[in-house]
Amino acid sequence: MTPVTKKLLADFQIRKTKQQKASFRAWLCDELGRAGYAPQVETGGLLNSSNVVAGDPEKAQVLLAAHYDTCAVLPFPNFITPRNFLVYLLFQLLICALFLLIAIATEVAVLLAFDPPLWGALLAIYAVLGFCIWWMLAGKANKHTANDNTSGVAALLETALALPEELRGKVCFVFFDNEEKGLLGSAAFAARHPAAKREALVLNFDCVGDGDFLQFFPRKAVKGEEETLRRLEVAFTGRGEKTVEIVRSFGFYPSDQAVFRRGVGVCALKKKPLIGYYMGRIHTNRDTVLEEENVLLLRDGVVRLLRDL
């Protein structure tokens, strides 16, 4: 593993509070600056998101993106099955049902203990549900974020540092803030750079560190661009146990690329019978795997893609 990725994992794996984010951005900008870039911090949008931008988003042919903010630690993973919507939906409904059961149990306990009026019992339900939502968004920081999304940050930074000088004008690197709170950083960036939102090809690396199946999920506009799909397939190739697929059939991935017309979400997945491709462990203290081979595969693929443009 390179010294930069080791430093990222050792000192900047928690990026949740205002101070943690500021410390990370200072280090990131220093690394990019020493490599010859002129990074800028763009602040705006809801919650005053601070995105780090290296390159010219108005002129770049490709935007390479990853969110750097990290989430609260939860007792259950954010279980994602990008090519099996039914399983994904059932899991989300299960979580909602769990929250509702906790709220109902709280209401019963309040009724038995205090015999409050109906409005008081209802207030208890709303308070519990509100607390659950607050915990998911603003609870205790997860100390283990190797895959979500330290892996994406590592892939972006390693690519930027390795990119030859003659290719740098073709690309803009963007490290988004506040993805975990609802894609707020990418939305602020898109509002500031509407041409990039409409025209740029955006490759968004999110949770690329844990799994042998690296998959690209293009939005509808990109699926209609045969030449773009071909270029991606030629540039990003598997090696060893690692496979790469540009998903042309049904597939979804909930991340920042959804903000951009020509967005492509990139993630690493595992596979099981019946469930198919899946991602687990993120948002929990078991998120400890960052496979260096995945980062290098994506880095080398970006270089090939930019040479082909």
Side-chain angles (χ1 to χ4, degrees), residues 13-14 141-148 283-288:
Q13 200 169 153
I14 309 172
N142 190 3
K143 296 180 179 180
H144 303 283
T145 66
N147 192 28
D148 184 17
H283 292 197
T284 72
N285 57 18
R286 297 178 63 232
D287 183 3
T288 58

Side-chain angles (χ1 to χ4, degrees), residues 295-307:
V295 171
L296 300 181
L297 188 154
L298 292 172
R299 180 200 67 185
D300 296 345
V302 168
V303 173
R304 286 192 293 267
L305 176 65
L306 295 177
R307 289 193 186 282

Side-chain angles (χ1 to χ4, degrees), residues 38 40 103 113 125 147 169 181 183 185 242 249:
Q40 302 291 324
I125 290 182
N147 192 28
K181 294 180 179 177
L183 315 185
K242 305 294 182 180
S249 58

Side-chain angles (χ1 to χ4, degrees), residues 16 23 26 48 59 62 71 89 119 134 136 183 207 209 254 273 275 281 295 304:
K16 194 170 189 301
S23 296
N48 222 23
K59 297 180 180 179
V62 179
C71 64
L89 179 61
W119 66 266
W134 173 87
M136 293 179 68
L183 315 185
C207 301
I275 292 176
R281 300 201 284 204
V295 171
R304 286 192 293 267

Side-chain angles (χ1 to χ4, degrees), residues 27-40:
W27 172 78
L28 174 64
C29 289
D30 182 62
E31 290 292 332
L32 291 169
R34 288 195 290 114
Y37 294 91
Q40 302 291 324

Side-chain angles (χ1 to χ4, degrees), residues 8 28 54 69 78 157 159 179 191 198 258 270 305:
L8 179 62
L28 174 64
D69 63 307
N78 184 11
L157 183 54
T159 300
E179 186 270 353
R198 294 190 309 269
K270 300 177 182 179
L305 176 65

Side-chain angles (χ1 to χ4, degrees), residues 51-247:
N51 303 317
V52 178
V53 181
D56 188 343
E58 310 302 334
K59 297 180 180 179
Q61 293 173 269
V62 179
L63 292 182
L64 295 179
H67 76 87
Y68 70 84
D69 63 307
T70 55
C71 64
V73 63
L74 300 177
F76 49 82
N78 184 11
F79 190 73
I80 302 174
T81 54
R83 300 173 73 171
N84 190 334
F85 185 74
L86 178 61
V87 170
Y88 177 76
L89 179 61
L90 289 175
F91 182 79
Q92 301 304 314
L93 291 175
L94 178 63
I95 297 302
C96 291
L98 177 62
F99 286 167
L100 185 58
L101 285 174
I102 293 173
I104 291 173
T106 302
E107 178 190 19
V108 171
V110 169
L111 286 170
L112 292 176
F114 303 105
D115 191 25
L118 179 60
W119 66 266
L122 291 175
L123 184 61
I125 290 182
Y126 294 143
V128 171
L129 291 176
F131 174 80
C132 291
I133 294 171
W134 173 87
W135 182 263
M136 293 179 68
L137 295 176
K140 182 180 178 182
N142 190 3
K143 296 180 179 180
H144 303 283
T145 66
N147 192 28
D148 184 17
N149 187 34
T150 298
S151 65
V153 171
L156 223 60
L157 183 54
E158 293 288 359
T159 300
L161 299 183
L163 198 63
E165 186 71 31
E166 66 270 18
L167 297 179
R168 294 185 178 185
K170 297 182 178 182
V171 66
C172 178
F173 297 89
V174 189
F175 299 79
F176 290 129
D177 191 8
N178 286 330
E179 186 270 353
E180 298 288 356
K181 294 180 179 177
L183 315 185
L184 300 183
S186 54
F189 176 88
R192 186 164 181 161
H193 303 283
K197 176 182 179 178
R198 294 190 309 269
E199 304 301 333
L201 177 65
V202 180
L203 302 185
N204 178 46
F205 298 152
D206 190 356
C207 301
V208 297
D210 187 9
D212 290 336
F213 303 94
L214 285 110
Q215 300 196 350
F216 289 57
F217 293 92
R219 297 199 67 204
K220 182 179 179 180
V222 182
K223 285 184 177 181
E225 302 174 10
E226 184 59 36
E227 181 63 17
T228 300
L229 297 175
R230 184 199 64 80
R231 289 179 186 273
L232 291 173
E233 288 173 339
V234 170
F236 294 92
T237 57
R239 53 196 185 205
E241 296 181 350
K242 305 294 182 180
T243 67
V244 177
E245 182 180 357
I246 313 302
V247 180

